[in-house]
Amino acid sequence: MARETVLTPEGLKELKAKIDHLSGERRREVAERIKEAREFGDISENAEYDDAKNEQAMLEHKIAQLEERLSNARVIQKRDVDLSVVSVGAKVKLRDVDAKRTDEYFIVGSAEANPAELKLSNESPVGKAIIGKKKGETVEVSTPRGSLKYKILDIAAA
């Protein structure tokens, strides 16, 4: 059984767009590379052809992975997000107790996680620690760099 993929509506839209791009434009580009490589003559000793065929295999694998993720997707609607506790689809204001720094994170499923955009996975160490916790609670998170303490300042709709 494939793992369920938790997505926000935005994540679902991005996933569909990526599949469309790969199965449309990218597939045509790779097919064109294969066609051009075939025109170089003997394909048994044609590195360009082998490279293009490998690229095609990797592309098809990636498309299949994304389509499987889409078929196992559970979309979290904003109206379904429980704001009494930290959950996927919520925006959470966290205070790093030791660093005395506050950041606002959007809690998303692992498929959408992007720390640079402050999109925190529900499966990351911090995500796991804060899921289900209430505003005002302090959690301790074990990370490779040591233990961190976060206070949950606010939980809001994303």
Side-chain angles (χ1 to χ4, degrees):
M1 161 111 190
R3 222 173 92 209
E4 178 180 72
T5 304
V6 179
L7 294 171
T8 61
E10 295 80 17
L12 179 67
K13 203 164 96 183
E14 287 172 18
L15 179 59
K16 285 180 176 177
K18 192 169 195 170
I19 291 170
D20 287 348
H21 170 72
L22 293 178
S23 58
E25 189 179 327
R26 283 295 296 138
R27 230 182 220 156
R28 281 191 296 279
E29 289 170 4
V30 172
E32 188 59 36
R33 267 193 73 197
I34 291 170
K35 183 175 162 254
E36 287 172 9
R38 257 199 206 113
E39 292 168 1
F40 291 135
D42 184 9
I43 61 173
S44 65
E45 295 176 13
N46 187 332
E48 188 69 30
Y49 178 79
D50 291 342
D51 188 47
K53 288 300 279 184
N54 284 339
E55 185 179 357
Q56 182 183 44
M58 289 189 296
L59 176 64
E60 293 305 322
H61 177 71
K62 182 70 176 169
I63 291 169
Q65 275 183 321
L66 294 174
E67 285 176 339
E68 182 179 343
R69 190 181 288 170
L70 181 62
S71 70
N72 294 308
R74 179 168 61 93
V75 180
I76 303 291
Q77 298 297 338
K78 286 185 176 160
R79 67 180 174 274
D80 299 332
V81 177
D82 177 2
L83 297 177
S84 67
V85 294
V86 176
S87 58
V88 173
K91 195 179 283 186
V92 181
K93 197 176 281 184
L94 291 180
R95 174 102 174 134
D96 183 328
V97 176
D98 298 323
K100 294 175 178 43
R101 185 179 146 176
T102 302
D103 284 306
E104 201 164 50
Y105 295 96
F106 184 38
I107 308 302
V108 296
S110 60
E112 285 180 76
N114 185 340
E117 295 176 11
L118 298 178
K119 290 181 177 180
L120 199 60
S121 166
N122 61 330
E123 296 176 18
S124 68
V126 174
K128 278 183 189 168
I130 64 174
I131 289 286
K133 301 288 191 256
K134 292 180 163 63
K135 178 178 171 178
E137 284 190 64
T138 300
V139 295
E140 201 161 323
V141 183
S142 291
T143 71
R145 292 181 295 171
S147 186
L148 300 172
K149 275 191 185 138
Y150 289 101
K151 181 167 184 163
I152 301 168
L153 300 179
D154 193 32
I155 303 168

